[in-house]
Amino acid sequence: RVDGEHEGDAEEGDLGVGGGVLGGLEHQAPPGPGRRERSLAAERQEEAASTHAGRGCERERERERERVGRRASEVLPAGEGDEELDGEMAEAVADPVARAGGGVEWEDVRKDLHMHPELGLEEERTSKLVVKKLQSFGMDQIRTGIGGTGVVGTLKGTQRSSEGDPAALREIGFRADMDCLPMQEANDFGHKSRTPGRFHGCGHDGHTTMVLAAAEHLAKRRDTFAGTVHFIFQPAEENFGGARLMIEDGLLVEHTRCDEIYGVHNWPYPEVPPGFFAVRSGPIMASADEFEIIIKGEGGHAAMPHLTVDPITIGAQLVSALQTVVSRGNDPLQPVVLSITRFNAGSAFNVIPNTAVLCGTVRAFREDDRSRVQAQLERMSQSVCMASNATATVNYYRGYPPTVNSKKQAEYARQAAELAFGVDNVLLDCDPSLAAEDFSYMLDQVGGAYAWVGADSPGKLHETNFDFDDSIIPVTVQYYVNLVNLRLAAKTASGASASAADEATV
Ligand SMILES: [Zn+2]
Ligand SMILES: [Zn+2]
């Protein structure tokens, strides 16, 4: 989810609440009338504006949880599939290991996923394809239905190690997201989306393919490592926070015991040129919160303002006052953004309305900054309104938290990437992005690293002409394989690490 790049309804702005593409997971619109329409309708009826919007969100969240909860997680015996695939898919799944280098087959898988995009929590076909592939590679265990459509393939290394070797006990996770965007693809190539209004415009088709390809390679080479690898395929990165749903379903305590976890995003932006890899210690993506402030005054005749409490004047004061929350209250060396993106009030030239509604977004890289801005925003809204005899209702919706890499794992990622991309092609000083990513929930629980792989794509992320750059598949798989060599290869009798260079043939 790279919300800053959202293309489409300009009114939705950076946060992009509408359309289900970009809304924070805490308050995603349900199918049917969008949150935006409901919100506008509410504004038209001023009295309705005092409704606590947060309740609607809670309800929505609960509904989603119920929906997810209804699917029981399931552990499948490895190598056994009970469900029949349709013809086209069976073709894509057939003969997954009969490939002698060249990467052609994985490109086909990627294109097949591109042709059949599925929205968050609807990744039925995609997760079935993932399961079939994992079964054909021979995982030790495959778990399905985690956090909705999530899948985890588990592979144990067979390399002998000396007793107590930490590498042998270690468990690491590679995470891919599987969902598409609710947007129309503009491309006209052979593998364009077969479903109107559904599009792999963020390259999650490629992310899924790369983790699958790593699983295939490592399953054939399990004698080269001693610990355990979990291949984690998550739903709903773009909207519902599938990473969080998987965690709530026991991903990191019941289904895996990951000590560290890694994820990548294809990055078709000039700061990471094609052939390059970028990782950094600390924050790499921001939190993305949304807020709504309902100012309740007292309307009346515009010619008799002394008989009213004018919410528009108060709202204007509040917009100005809120500019100081970041500029005066925040450490200038720590980036935070607070933007007011909507100001709705009034219906006639000669009527002072009862209420005014402000909306906006807060972005931050540190949890402390985020909490302080939230508290200050609430305090200032209350006090500015109180000074003029109005009241404020502040609804603050927390979206994805900041994505923060741990120092050690960022270092392992660097080492693994240097062996795959070349020492000169690994960037460590890249600026973080103010977009958001739900891998943050996993990094909240275990140490890990999220990284960007430079890509040469026709469009940027979330643009209608985007397509995943297949040329990054082999080198990214090599990165995953290198991480396994680095972290899970056992010590030999002499005490040296046995992580000999292992060429991934993808
Ligand atoms: Zn995206
Ligand atoms: Zn994405």
Side-chain angles (χ1 to χ4, degrees), residues 1 177 202 204 207 237-238 265:
R1 167 175 122 142
D177 37 17
C202 205
H204 299 184
H207 301 167
E237 192 283 324
E238 298 283 359
H265 207 294

